Amino acid sequence: MDPFTKAIHADKDLSEGADVAPAIRPSTTFLEDTGRRYRRDSHETTERFEAVLGSLEGGHAVCFSSGMAAAAAALSFFHPDRMAVGDVYHGVRVLAESLAAAGDVVFADRSELKEGDVEWVETPSNPKCYITDLVATAEENRARGVITIVDSTFATPVLMNPLAFGVDVVLHSVTKAIGGHSDAHAGALVVSDGSVASKIRDQRSFTGAVPGSLDVWLALRGIRTLPLRVERSTSTAGKVAAWAHGRGLQTYYPGLASHPGHEIARTQMSGFGSMLALDVGSAAEASRVVRAVHLFTNATSLGGVESLIEHRIVSDPAMDPGLMRISIGLEDPDDLIADLEQAL
Ligand code: PLP
């Protein structure tokens, strides 16, 4: 089935009522002898969301209360001795640093990893959209028994399916494009093997990071339109990036031939995504521009229907001072370009 069809139908057999639209189910406990007991163990809406995401990603999904909860769950489940961390979301870097400071894991170069260790990859990476060759990475790691975890939040399951390249675990911040409306907080891990997914789900019952019932309902509602939104925002991002590059701005977007990851992105993604970054040279100028726009909203996060712009150093103090991260939403591309032009 095509992603457009999967997004609508993959959970069809899991509906427990007569409703055409999924019901919001806030109950934390269920009648005995009905097949359900307690929401932390199992919940209809969570299972339906997992069925759709798993189908889109080509694996078995386990949903968590946030992307960071999914990241923490992955590290706790695989519990590596050593971990290689590349260019990743700063929250994941801080989590890994805190584990290392507590003596739970040792940072290592990927060449030093051994069986049971983890390489954490993010592609496209946040915020400069650097690209990692997943086929080569997964092949090298498999040969050594190293677990490859890929944060695929920027790509979404519509544009890339890392499990098909031999990757062991895919992570999504569902809060972003999958939820798609900046109103649901959730995360997910996706694996190929259903028995591994069951073990991760069992562990989730006791670590407790299950999604809230409204959040997962919103995520399920959001994922229905994911393919449509990704198609639209990706097309617009390509236009905005081409305009910015043509205007002489330092532009980070994997769809541009000038981007260092362009050729690999072409082989492993079916589109280049809705995220880009522009460097306007100084912190003062970036700070001014993010306040001078009218259509873009000056806020962190990404993947919503509204376009967002952020002076990235505010979220990630290690970032280049003049870098603005942009998440393209569903507005008209020419209106967005005109807004950036007047602000610059
Ligand atoms: N991964 C990436 C690439 C992100 O951008 C984020 C959040 O910004 C996360 C993971 C964490 O997700 P959450 O905010 O849902 O915990």
Side-chain angles (χ1 to χ4, degrees):
M1 273 194 293
D2 181 87
F4 276 86
T5 312
K6 288 178 180 172
I8 310 297
H9 291 290
D11 61 325
K12 167 154 105 189
D13 298 335
L14 300 178
S15 172
E16 290 176 8
D19 317 77
V20 171
I24 303 174
R25 294 194 180 278
S27 186
T28 54
T29 186
F30 302 97
L31 297 176
E32 291 290 349
D33 307 323
T34 56
R36 298 215 182 266
R37 284 198 84 231
Y38 194 51
R39 182 149 67 80
R40 182 152 48 71
D41 300 326
S42 88
H43 182 239
E44 181 198 331
T45 325
T46 304
E47 287 167 12
R48 293 182 68 168
F49 174 77
E50 289 173 348
V52 178
L53 178 58
S55 163
L56 286 173
E57 200 57 277
H60 299 267
V62 185
C63 185
F64 290 87
S65 52
S66 68
M68 286 309 300
L75 291 178
S76 149
F77 183 80
F78 291 101
H79 205 266
D81 292 334
R82 281 164 295 267
M83 184 178 172
V85 182
D87 185 34
V88 301
Y89 170 59
H90 82 108
V92 170
R93 197 171 62 222
V94 171
L95 169 67
E97 281 166 2
S98 73
L99 293 174
D104 285 345
V105 73
V106 172
F107 283 120
D109 186 82
R110 64 183 303 269
S111 62
E112 296 161 1
L113 298 179
K114 300 192 168 43
E115 188 165 1
D117 291 342
V118 160
E119 178 170 9
W120 193 287
V121 173
E122 189 176 305
T123 182
S125 69
N126 187 353
K128 290 186 181 171
C129 299
Y130 290 140
I131 303 291
T132 300
D133 182 337
L134 291 182
V135 172
T137 303
E139 199 175 297
E140 282 167 32
N141 285 343
R142 283 250 149 151
R144 297 179 292 168
V146 171
I147 297 148
T148 312
I149 302 179
V150 171
D151 185 335
S152 196
T153 299
F154 272 31
T156 82
V158 176
L159 300 179
M160 188 173 76
N161 295 129
L163 299 178
F165 303 132
V167 162
D168 298 289
V169 185
V170 177
L171 179 140
H172 286 290
S173 169
V174 173
T175 316
K176 314 301 184 193
I178 294 176
H181 297 74
S182 307
D183 55 11
H185 219 139
L189 298 176
V190 194
V191 294
S192 298
D193 185 336
S195 67
V196 174
S198 291
K199 287 182 192 148
I200 295 173
R201 204 171 281 122
D202 287 348
Q203 181 176 288
R204 181 189 63 181
S205 283
F206 297 104
T207 52
V210 287
S213 51
L214 179 59
D215 289 86
V216 78
W217 185 88
L218 287 165
L220 179 59
R221 184 186 179 117
I223 203 170
R224 302 282 191 220
T225 54
L226 180 69
L228 198 58
R229 288 184 286 103
V230 168
E231 192 174 271
R232 164 81 180 187
S233 58
T234 293
S235 150
T236 304
K239 291 176 187 163
V240 174
W243 161 81
H245 181 67
R247 200 185 182 283
L249 289 172
Q250 167 88 54
T251 307
Y252 299 92
Y253 184 66
L256 293 174
S258 57
H259 190 279
H262 178 66
E263 285 308 321
I264 293 171
R266 276 163 57 103
T267 65
Q268 65 189 24
M269 299 175 76
S270 59
F272 301 105
S274 59
M275 296 301 296
L276 62 136
L278 305 179
D279 196 324
V280 287
S282 71
E285 179 63 353
S287 177
R288 186 191 69 74
V289 171
V290 297
R291 287 171 175 80
V293 284
H294 302 307
L295 292 178
F296 287 85
T297 303
N298 179 18
T300 193
S301 203
L302 56 118
V305 293
E306 63 289 303
S307 293
L308 299 177
I309 191 165
E310 181 193 18
H311 186 192
R312 191 60 191 160
I313 203 168
V314 175
S315 282
D316 180 358
M319 200 33 67
D320 305 348
L323 197 94
M324 304 184 307
R325 188 183 76 174
I326 291 180
S327 167
I328 296 293
L330 303 184
E331 302 91 335
D332 177 74
D334 293 336
D335 288 342
L336 292 177
I337 290 169
D339 190 31
L340 284 172
E341 184 65 61
Q342 67 76 30
L344 287 162

